Amino acid sequence: MSQTELIKIDQLNINFGENRVISDVSLSLKRGEITTLIGPNGAGKTTLVKAVLGLLNPSSGTITRNEALRIGYMPQKLHIDTTFPLTVERFLKTAAFSGTDDQLDALRSVKAETLLKQSVHSLSGGEMQRVLLARALLRKPELLVLDEPAQGVDINGQVELYNLIARIRDQYNCAVLMISHDLHLVMAATDQVICLNRHICCSGHPEQVSSDPSYIELFGVPGSENLALYSHHHNHQHNEHGDIVPLAEDQHSNCGGHH
């Protein structure tokens, strides 16, 4: 592993019984880089993240982590019984042993320090996402794993949240691994985009389209230049069983928004 690599995955395979859900995946997560993982439902995104977090053992292949690697995890959703009284302050204490000062620092990092004494049940979707992000930051992570962080947040909130994640990457000098379900939107700040459909279909940098008229018409909000459409080409397709079928040269497909 290089000095900047925090996790290196080599030829990873994960089987559930007879079903292979991750096939020959190799990638690395590097300090200071944002990696966005995209793909259709059932592509194995969550399975791959669980392997990165150490919650699943590979059937074959290797996952090499920096020694004592600190990982902060932000789940896609968190269901808390509405009959259970819980303030943001008490909720943050479930992440790690931390005092009020640490909690306020984490909330300040996500611009949500005014929420400390509020009930988690009174928070808006965007506020809850920020609290979940603050909770992950209490671990002072070297790797921050975010499962669809913009879920349930309106487009203005998404722009703010993506900008916030980029600032946190800079502040903590951490790696970020982010799952995105909406293939039409990928952060322009993303350093690496990985398209997964059990195996890595393709990977690369997002394209900048901030001056495209159709892009401006679609988003039409301040700060939308911080998002970019991402399109890329596949040299194969999948049959009904999910197996790879090569395409003829004139059939190469663009997967910009169709996965």
Side-chain angles (χ1 to χ4, degrees), residues 7-16 20-29 35-65 71 73 143-147 176-180 192-203:
I7 289 183
K8 185 173 183 179
I9 297 174
D10 188 40
Q11 295 296 300
L12 184 73
N13 293 289
I14 299 176
N15 300 334
F16 292 159
R20 175 158 291 184
V21 293
I22 295 292
S23 180
D24 295 326
V25 166
S26 297
L27 60 91
S28 63
L29 301 176
T35 299
T36 301
L37 187 62
I38 62 176
N41 290 331
K45 300 188 296 295
T46 299
T47 299
L48 180 57
V49 164
K50 286 181 177 179
V52 167
L53 294 173
L55 301 176
L56 278 179
N57 293 321
S59 303
S60 62
T62 59
I63 303 178
T64 306
R65 299 176 182 84
I71 300 177
Y73 173 62
L143 170 63
L144 187 60
V145 180
L146 312 174
D147 190 349
V176 178
L177 174 62
M178 180 164 49
I179 295 178
S180 175
Q192 180 179 207
V193 178
I194 295 174
C195 181
L196 186 74
N197 196 3
R198 299 198 301 177
H199 67 290
I200 293 178
C201 296
C202 53
S203 61

Side-chain angles (χ1 to χ4, degrees), residues 17 30 44 90 92 100 110 119 121 136 143 208 243 250-251:
K30 298 179 180 180
R90 289 182 63 193
L92 292 178
T100 301
V110 301
S119 166
H121 305 299
L143 170 63
Q208 301 293 331
D243 298 321
D250 60 352
Q251 290 182 302

Side-chain angles (χ1 to χ4, degrees), residues 35-226:
T35 299
T36 301
L37 187 62
I38 62 176
N41 290 331
K45 300 188 296 295
T46 299
T47 299
L48 180 57
V49 164
K50 286 181 177 179
V52 167
L53 294 173
L55 301 176
L56 278 179
N57 293 321
S59 303
S60 62
T62 59
I63 303 178
T64 306
R65 299 176 182 84
N66 264 14
E67 189 174 352
L69 178 66
R70 296 188 307 276
I71 300 177
Y73 173 62
M74 177 181 168
Q76 181 183 143
K77 289 181 180 178
L78 194 65
H79 298 285
I80 301 172
D81 193 322
T82 55
T83 64
F84 185 64
L86 187 65
T87 63
V88 169
E89 184 176 18
R90 289 182 63 193
F91 173 67
L92 292 178
K93 287 180 180 178
T94 67
F97 179 78
S98 58
T100 301
D101 288 345
D102 290 334
Q103 294 167 10
L104 279 171
D105 285 344
L107 287 170
R108 286 189 190 101
S109 293
V110 301
K111 300 186 181 302
E113 62 271 22
T114 60
L115 303 178
L116 183 68
K117 300 296 184 181
Q118 286 196 29
S119 166
V120 294
H121 305 299
S122 69
L123 302 180
S124 69
E127 288 172 339
M128 189 64 195
Q129 295 301 83
R130 287 173 185 263
V131 168
L132 288 172
L133 186 53
R135 184 177 182 271
L137 293 178
L138 281 172
R139 297 182 58 85
K140 295 181 171 49
E142 297 168 276
L143 170 63
L144 187 60
V145 180
L146 312 174
D147 190 349
E148 297 194 37
Q151 175 100 3
V153 180
D154 65 25
I155 194 68
N156 285 300
Q158 288 180 36
V159 170
E160 293 175 8
L161 192 60
Y162 288 150
N163 286 337
L164 176 60
I165 291 166
R167 289 197 298 272
I168 287 170
R169 180 269 313 270
D170 295 337
Q171 178 182 344
Y172 286 81
N173 191 28
C174 61
V176 178
L177 174 62
M178 180 164 49
I179 295 178
S180 175
H181 184 73
D182 186 352
L183 301 192
H184 298 281
L185 296 178
V186 176
M187 285 170 38
T190 296
D191 299 291
Q192 180 179 207
V193 178
I194 295 174
C195 181
L196 186 74
N197 196 3
R198 299 198 301 177
H199 67 290
I200 293 178
C201 296
C202 53
S203 61
H205 295 274
E207 295 174 358
Q208 301 293 331
V209 293
S210 59
S211 60
D212 189 290
S214 62
Y215 170 81
I216 295 170
E217 180 181 359
L218 180 62
F219 295 106
V221 293
S224 63
E225 67 275 4
N226 292 310

